[in-house]
Structures are given as C-alpha cells and as structure tokens.
Amino acid sequence: MRAFERAQAQAQASVRARAQASARARVLAAALVVVGLLAGGCSADPAGAPAAPSPDPAASGTSSAPTAAGAGATPLEPLPAAVPAALAPYYAQRPVWQPCDSGFECTTFRVPLDYDHPGDGDLTLAAARAAAEPAGTGSASSDPSAPAPASDPSAPAPAASASQGTRLGSLLLNPGGPGGSAIEYLEAAARTYDHGVRARYDLVGLDPRGVGRSSPVSCLSGDRMDAYTAVGLAPGDQGGVDALVAADKEFAEGCRTQAGAALGHLGTVEAARDMDVLRALLGDEKLNFVGKSYGTFLGATYAGLFPSRVGRLVLDGAMDPSLDSVAGNRTQAGGFETAWAAFAQDCAKREDCPLGRTEQQVGDRLTALLGGVRTAPLPTTDAGRRLTGSQATTGVIQAMYADFLWPKLRAALTDAEAGDGTGLLRLSDDYYGRESDGSYPNLMFANIAVNCLDLPAPFHGPEDVQRAVPEFERVSPHFGRDMAWMALTCAYWPVRATGAAHTVRATGAAPIVVIGTTRDPATPYAWAQSLAGQLESGRLLTFDGDGHTAYGRHSTCVDGAVNRFLLTGEAPEQGKRCER
C-alpha cells in the first residue's frame, strides 16, 4: 500500500502510560516495509474474485524446505575492511549526547551525502539511546561527548548487576519501513525489552537518512496526502487509470521538488554505511543489531558490506534481497492472503463476526463489502471525509499485521456493514500515520523514496500492470489485483534506481539469527528461509503463528532464544521452531 500509532492522577497515569507504550511499540514493531505495499496504494476491485484457495505453501511459508534465492541475483560484495582516508573525518567525530525526550539521550552526526564523492555535501543524522540500566537505574555518562556508557566491554559492571556480567556495548534497533523512525521506536519500546538485555546494552535508535529526524524527505502536504490515499486502485476504465497515474506523478514530482539532490542518496546500502559510522562513534568494535521487517534488509546489507564487523545480529520478519520487485510484490500479496485466511477462520468462530459463520462466507462478504465501498464511499464521523475503496482495503490490510488488531477490524467491519466507514478509515489512517489534525509523518515519503532506489521499478506503465494482474490474482484473490496496481508508483520516479536484486552471503560473519513467522502477512515465511539460506552463518528460527515479526510479541520460546543469543552469543540451533 502507499505507503505505523502517540500527568493526571498519578497511579492511573503510570499504568496507562505503560500500556500505551507497549501497544505503540507492538504496532511500530509490526510496521511494514516493501516496495509494493507501501509504494503503491490500496483499493479493491473484488467483483467476481474467486474465494480464497487453500494457501500455496510457496506463498504462505508453510513449507519447511529452504527456498532458493531469486534467479539472476548477484552476490553483494563486501567493502574493504580499512576505512578509506576520505571517510576518516566522519569516523573520527565526537558527537555530543544530551538529555532529551524524557529520560533518553540524543545526538547528531554527519555522513557524506554520496559515499563515492565525500566532498559533495553532507547529511545530518539523528540518534537516541537508552543507556544501560543495571538494577533499574540509569547510567548515563557524565561526559556528553564520550562513547555510549555500555560501549566498553572491559569496564566493570556496577555491583547491582555483577551477576549479569559485563557490559556488551550498544544494540542498534530498527523497526522497519523503510521510513519507520528508529528513535520513535526506541522511545516506545526500550522499557519492553528484556531486563537482562537492557542491563548489558545501551539501546540505540538511529533514524536512517531521509527518515524521522535525519534530514527527512518530504513530498506532499496533508490535504494532498489525503487525496493520494483516497485514489482508487484496480481501475475499471481509462479515467481510473488516468487518475491513478496522475496521483503517482504528483507524488513523485513533490518529492523531486522538496528533496532535491538527497532523493538520489536514500538507498539501503548508504543507510547501512551510515550505521557503520555510528558503530565507530559509539566505540563498538562490532555492530549488534535487532532489525524488524525492512530492518532485516538493512541489517543483512550491513552484514554483506562489513562481515568482519558483525556482532550479534537478529533479523526478525526477514526480507529476501534476492527477489526483484515484481516477485517481491507478488509473494507479499500471497502473504496477505494467508493472513486473511487466518483472520477469516478466527472471525467465523466468533459471535461478533459481521461477515458470516464460515471462512468462505467471510471472504465472500468482504469481497462484496469492499466492492460496494469502491462504488459508493461510506460516510464517516471525520468531517469532510468519506471512506473510499482504497482506504477500506488499507484498513483491512493494516489489521493483518498483528492479531491483536483483529477485534478492532471486526468492529470496523460491523460498522461498515451498517453504513459507517469510520472504523476502517481509522485503521487506514493508522497505517499511514495520519494525525488527528490531518498531518502526515515522513514515513510514506521516505518509504517510497527508499524503495524506488533499492530496486528498479516493477512496471513501466499501466499496460505492464494489466499483464501482471492475473498472476497476482492467482496468488491472492482478495488483494492481488490491488497490490499489482499499487506497485506502479516507481514507474514515475524522478531518479534512477541505484540498487538491484542480490544475494547476501556475509562470508566470515558471526552467526546471524533470522526469524520467520509462518503466517506473516508482510514478509512471508519463505523470505526468511531464503535469507537464512543465503547467509553463510544464518540460523533460521521459526515462529509458527500469526502476525508480522515475532520477537517481543508472541512467544516466550522466541524471546528466550533471542535474549540468550544477545547476552551470550549462543545462537539457536538451525531449524529451531517455536510456538506461543
């Protein structure tokens, strides 16, 4: 889709704040990530679509066999181990850390706009950290320009944490996107991480270039984004095609006008190189990292470029870098179909399910509902806004990311059946990050900008999409057509893609834990199988369950394996499977 949720009486406020932070962290951790879904738009044209078939193992990830890397993908070659002289000044910075955002520390530092031409201008990046907190207390350094407090493994641990061992340095976190703010995720999720991990690492969020507080890219005003998200997909006539193309071109031109030269330098390879600069500034010999969703692509790219600097890497909800954009969008459509089947089966068993009492009835009724909204948008309680077919489908897809959103979706579908589109519109707004004042964060702008650089456009025009639709619909009867059309945006991008499909071996790297969820909608399980198979030191950890990503969300088995790895370096055995 075109492309994630922010003192009074003292005791109650404390409980509410913790609950809100946990919910926000879970949603941010489930934020997507790929060219088609976030670089397209979502609208339904479900008329005549067949009922959902039994999920294809290749799409749903139910197969346990390793998945072959994409045909024709070339290996990502590592960079020289020595820092080039032209980049030495960037690696020698001494950033000043200052208190910020209610208990965190923040800093900024410079990176070259273009790593191939370091003298052609800089970007300013922002990072935040939660200093390691043995025994529940802060441990910020008194020297604001010093490396992170936990970055010296030889430093003695405070007596309160002696039983937990020495400090292990910094642990960078990235929630995905591309476009998700790692600083925002850190500030929502830091206290939800295992206490042992928090006691031995400084948790660090670096907003990637073009994202959040790091020289953010911008493209459209709030009212124009409202119009953009409402444009219908799966057009039924030439007028619909023209409207979609015009919307995509307006978005691309807005980015070109407002972002300027930076628009050509927001790719994942450059963002991974930025992480290596920050690693050095934190005083860490190796990079420790937890990446979710697109964050797995960022982490895998780092491993491919700097295998000798890989510390303890966890890649949760893995992307497959070997797939071209057409194959990636198509298999992702299959992932959402699998997630929808799981929701429909669950919904049919519940008294408050508005769509029927069997999976078939639920699927058929969704098709009819979305088709009706596409023809006649529904009124909402948001003054001046009506729910379009595109926004209705976006709302449904938003709820596929995490099963804790399923009750909210059932309620929204119940209201929509009664003629009120407010619930589905709220879910759609949550997806895009739209605020109640009508403003949008930089998430979607950065998402499309990164995706259109990382891979060549899947389609060059509407005719290409039309030819691809039947195969997309075969994989995903409910979402395939929409996800084919939503991948059209990059066809009109003002700068040429700098990346291409590739494999990542990271020869010589320490063990890398790759987590796949069997019914993950946004990053199908087969992608995790493929990435773990590509990585020379990859260890596949499987969560048999629903939702996008697994660590810190569902399973004590997954959490235990990951925390053990982060704290001891002991990777789970190859092929380990976990349930709730």
Side-chain angles (χ1 to χ4, degrees), residues 25-334:
R26 286 188 295 168
V27 172
L28 282 166
L32 177 74
V33 95
V34 209
V35 168
L37 193 62
L38 289 184
C42 239
S43 125
D45 184 11
S54 298
D56 179 344
S60 68
T62 56
S63 168
S64 60
T67 302
T74 58
L76 178 65
E77 296 296 333
L79 292 170
V83 175
L87 297 179
Y90 297 98
Y91 279 79
Q93 297 172 83
R94 288 184 60 82
V96 175
W97 293 87
Q98 303 207 353
C100 67
D101 302 346
S102 302
F104 294 86
E105 296 176 312
C106 294
T107 195
T108 60
F109 62 100
R110 296 178 299 104
V111 293
L113 174 66
D114 182 350
Y115 275 91
D116 291 333
H117 303 92
D120 289 354
D122 294 342
L123 291 175
T124 298
L125 305 188
R129 73 182 178 196
E133 295 184 350
T137 61
S139 57
S141 169
S142 60
D143 178 1
S145 66
S151 62
D152 181 4
S154 65
S161 64
S163 63
Q164 297 174 331
T166 58
R167 305 282 188 86
L168 295 174
S170 303
L171 179 64
L172 268 67
L173 311 178
N174 185 281
S181 168
I183 293 177
E184 185 177 347
Y185 172 69
L186 169 75
E187 294 180 353
R191 300 299 182 264
T192 71
Y193 269 65
D194 174 78
H195 175 71
V197 173
R198 301 197 321 266
R200 299 185 67 190
Y201 287 100
D202 296 328
L203 303 185
V204 178
L206 165 63
D207 279 355
R209 54 173 59 203
V211 173
R213 304 180 192 179
S214 292
S215 302
V217 62
S218 182
C219 301
L220 296 178
S221 62
D223 61 330
R224 297 314 303 157
M225 272 298 290
D226 278 348
Y228 181 74
T229 65
V231 170
L233 284 179
D237 55 29
Q238 190 58 44
V241 171
D242 292 344
L244 177 60
V245 170
D248 285 340
K249 287 183 175 179
E250 179 187 4
F251 190 100
E253 177 60 18
C255 294
R256 185 194 67 79
T257 301
Q258 298 192 46
L263 199 63
H265 296 281
L266 302 179
T268 299
V269 166
E270 289 164 308
R273 298 188 71 170
D274 296 339
M275 288 203 304
D276 195 57
V277 173
L278 180 58
R279 172 204 59 77
L281 302 187
L282 290 168
D284 291 336
E285 180 180 349
K286 298 193 174 186
L287 182 81
N288 304 305
F289 178 81
V290 174
K292 291 175 174 279
S293 203
Y294 163 80
T296 68
F297 186 36
L298 184 59
T301 301
Y302 182 91
L305 296 174
F306 305 104
S308 66
R309 296 176 194 162
V310 168
R312 297 171 187 177
L313 262 62
V314 177
L315 310 180
D316 182 12
M319 290 179 62
D320 181 358
S322 74
L323 297 179
D324 63 33
S325 51
V326 176
N329 279 282
R330 188 172 59 239
T331 55
Q332 190 184 58

